[in-house]
PDB file of all heavy atoms in Angstrom:
ATOM      1  N   GLY A  23     -49.539   4.871  43.704  1.00 98.00           N
ATOM      2  CA  GLY A  23     -49.716   3.780  42.746  1.00 98.00           C
ATOM      3  C   GLY A  23     -50.108   4.236  41.343  1.00 98.00           C
ATOM      4  O   GLY A  23     -50.419   3.391  40.491  1.00 98.00           O
ATOM      5  N   ASN A  24     -50.058   5.535  41.099  1.00 98.00           N
ATOM      6  CA  ASN A  24     -50.405   6.039  39.752  1.00 98.00           C
ATOM      7  C   ASN A  24     -49.474   5.465  38.676  1.00 98.00           C
ATOM      8  O   ASN A  24     -49.923   5.039  37.608  1.00 98.00           O
ATOM      9  CB  ASN A  24     -50.286   7.571  39.694  1.00 98.00           C
ATOM     10  CG  ASN A  24     -51.311   8.270  40.553  1.00 98.00           C
ATOM     11  OD1 ASN A  24     -52.189   7.632  41.112  1.00 98.00           O
ATOM     12  ND2 ASN A  24     -51.195   9.590  40.658  1.00 98.00           N
ATOM     13  N   GLY A  25     -48.175   5.473  38.991  1.00 98.00           N
ATOM     14  CA  GLY A  25     -47.179   5.016  38.014  1.00 98.00           C
ATOM     15  C   GLY A  25     -47.365   3.540  37.698  1.00 98.00           C
ATOM     16  O   GLY A  25     -47.351   3.132  36.521  1.00 98.00           O
ATOM     17  N   ARG A  26     -47.556   2.728  38.734  1.00 98.00           N
ATOM     18  CA  ARG A  26     -47.718   1.281  38.524  1.00 98.00           C
ATOM     19  C   ARG A  26     -49.035   0.960  37.822  1.00 98.00           C
ATOM     20  O   ARG A  26     -49.114   0.030  37.034  1.00 98.00           O
ATOM     21  CB  ARG A  26     -47.599   0.543  39.864  1.00 98.00           C
ATOM     22  CG  ARG A  26     -46.148   0.396  40.314  1.00 98.00           C
ATOM     23  CD  ARG A  26     -46.039   0.031  41.755  1.00 98.00           C
ATOM     24  NE  ARG A  26     -46.367   1.176  42.609  1.00 98.00           N
ATOM     25  CZ  ARG A  26     -46.746   1.080  43.877  1.00 98.00           C
ATOM     26  NH1 ARG A  26     -46.879  -0.107  44.437  1.00 98.00           N
ATOM     27  NH2 ARG A  26     -46.990   2.162  44.577  1.00 98.00           N
ATOM     28  N   TRP A  27     -50.062   1.756  38.099  1.00 98.00           N
ATOM     29  CA  TRP A  27     -51.351   1.578  37.407  1.00 98.00           C
ATOM     30  C   TRP A  27     -51.133   1.751  35.897  1.00 98.00           C
ATOM     31  O   TRP A  27     -51.634   0.966  35.085  1.00 98.00           O
ATOM     32  CB  TRP A  27     -52.337   2.626  37.923  1.00 98.00           C
ATOM     33  CG  TRP A  27     -53.701   2.582  37.309  1.00 98.00           C
ATOM     34  CD1 TRP A  27     -54.783   1.899  37.770  1.00 98.00           C
ATOM     35  CD2 TRP A  27     -54.134   3.277  36.121  1.00 98.00           C
ATOM     36  NE1 TRP A  27     -55.868   2.115  36.947  1.00 98.00           N
ATOM     37  CE2 TRP A  27     -55.497   2.958  35.925  1.00 98.00           C
ATOM     38  CE3 TRP A  27     -53.517   4.133  35.205  1.00 98.00           C
ATOM     39  CZ2 TRP A  27     -56.254   3.457  34.867  1.00 98.00           C
ATOM     40  CZ3 TRP A  27     -54.261   4.623  34.140  1.00 98.00           C
ATOM     41  CH2 TRP A  27     -55.606   4.288  33.985  1.00 98.00           C
ATOM     42  N   ALA A  28     -50.363   2.784  35.539  1.00 98.00           N
ATOM     43  CA  ALA A  28     -50.103   3.063  34.116  1.00 98.00           C
ATOM     44  C   ALA A  28     -49.223   1.960  33.505  1.00 98.00           C
ATOM     45  O   ALA A  28     -49.503   1.462  32.409  1.00 98.00           O
ATOM     46  CB  ALA A  28     -49.441   4.429  33.965  1.00 98.00           C
ATOM     47  N   LYS A  29     -48.187   1.571  34.247  1.00 98.00           N
ATOM     48  CA  LYS A  29     -47.239   0.567  33.743  1.00 98.00           C
ATOM     49  C   LYS A  29     -47.958  -0.746  33.417  1.00 98.00           C
ATOM     50  O   LYS A  29     -47.679  -1.379  32.392  1.00 98.00           O
ATOM     51  CB  LYS A  29     -46.152   0.341  34.798  1.00 98.00           C
ATOM     52  CG  LYS A  29     -44.937  -0.363  34.268  1.00 98.00           C
ATOM     53  CD  LYS A  29     -43.830  -0.400  35.288  1.00 98.00           C
ATOM     54  CE  LYS A  29     -42.686  -1.240  34.722  1.00 98.00           C
ATOM     55  NZ  LYS A  29     -41.642  -1.466  35.715  1.00 98.00           N
ATOM     56  N   LYS A  30     -48.878  -1.120  34.281  1.00 98.00           N
ATOM     57  CA  LYS A  30     -49.638  -2.355  34.079  1.00 98.00           C
ATOM     58  C   LYS A  30     -50.419  -2.319  32.765  1.00 98.00           C
ATOM     59  O   LYS A  30     -50.716  -3.357  32.173  1.00 98.00           O
ATOM     60  CB  LYS A  30     -50.645  -2.501  35.242  1.00 98.00           C
ATOM     61  CG  LYS A  30     -50.788  -3.896  35.769  1.00 98.00           C
ATOM     62  CD  LYS A  30     -51.665  -3.931  37.012  1.00 98.00           C
ATOM     63  CE  LYS A  30     -53.117  -4.214  36.694  1.00 98.00           C
ATOM     64  NZ  LYS A  30     -53.980  -4.192  37.873  1.00 98.00           N
ATOM     65  N   ARG A  31     -50.731  -1.107  32.334  1.00 98.00           N
ATOM     66  CA  ARG A  31     -51.499  -0.944  31.089  1.00 98.00           C
ATOM     67  C   ARG A  31     -50.611  -0.543  29.905  1.00 98.00           C
ATOM     68  O   ARG A  31     -51.107  -0.087  28.882  1.00 98.00           O
ATOM     69  CB  ARG A  31     -52.577   0.139  31.296  1.00 98.00           C
ATOM     70  CG  ARG A  31     -53.694  -0.339  32.170  1.00 98.00           C
ATOM     71  CD  ARG A  31     -54.557   0.794  32.700  1.00 98.00           C
ATOM     72  NE  ARG A  31     -55.662   0.246  33.479  1.00 98.00           N
ATOM     73  CZ  ARG A  31     -55.543  -0.270  34.704  1.00 98.00           C
ATOM     74  NH1 ARG A  31     -54.347  -0.275  35.302  1.00 98.00           N
ATOM     75  NH2 ARG A  31     -56.583  -0.766  35.333  1.00 98.00           N
ATOM     76  N   PHE A  32     -49.290  -0.645  30.087  1.00 98.00           N
ATOM     77  CA  PHE A  32     -48.315  -0.246  29.060  1.00 98.00           C
ATOM     78  C   PHE A  32     -48.506   1.210  28.645  1.00 98.00           C
ATOM     79  O   PHE A  32     -48.370   1.563  27.475  1.00 98.00           O
ATOM     80  CB  PHE A  32     -48.375  -1.192  27.842  1.00 98.00           C
ATOM     81  CG  PHE A  32     -48.209  -2.630  28.229  1.00 98.00           C
ATOM     82  CD1 PHE A  32     -49.301  -3.473  28.332  1.00 98.00           C
ATOM     83  CD2 PHE A  32     -46.948  -3.130  28.544  1.00 98.00           C
ATOM     84  CE1 PHE A  32     -49.157  -4.806  28.740  1.00 98.00           C
ATOM     85  CE2 PHE A  32     -46.785  -4.449  28.943  1.00 98.00           C
ATOM     86  CZ  PHE A  32     -47.890  -5.294  29.044  1.00 98.00           C
ATOM     87  N   LEU A  33     -48.866   2.043  29.607  1.00 98.00           N
ATOM     88  CA  LEU A  33     -49.062   3.472  29.340  1.00 98.00           C
ATOM     89  C   LEU A  33     -47.933   4.261  30.010  1.00 98.00           C
ATOM     90  O   LEU A  33     -47.319   3.777  30.959  1.00 98.00           O
ATOM     91  CB  LEU A  33     -50.397   3.944  29.941  1.00 98.00           C
ATOM     92  CG  LEU A  33     -51.672   3.367  29.347  1.00 98.00           C
ATOM     93  CD1 LEU A  33     -52.882   3.687  30.235  1.00 98.00           C
ATOM     94  CD2 LEU A  33     -51.880   3.913  27.936  1.00 98.00           C
ATOM     95  N   PRO A  34     -47.657   5.489  29.549  1.00 98.00           N
ATOM     96  CA  PRO A  34     -46.656   6.301  30.254  1.00 98.00           C
ATOM     97  C   PRO A  34     -47.142   6.643  31.669  1.00 98.00           C
ATOM     98  O   PRO A  34     -48.358   6.752  31.891  1.00 98.00           O
ATOM     99  CB  PRO A  34     -46.526   7.564  29.391  1.00 98.00           C
ATOM    100  CG  PRO A  34     -47.673   7.555  28.455  1.00 98.00           C
ATOM    101  CD  PRO A  34     -48.207   6.155  28.367  1.00 98.00           C
TER     102      PRO A  34
END
Side-chain angles (χ1 to χ4, degrees):
N24 293 354
R26 282 164 287 159
W27 180 92
K29 196 173 175 187
K30 221 173 93 183
R31 288 164 177 74
F32 306 101
L33 294 168

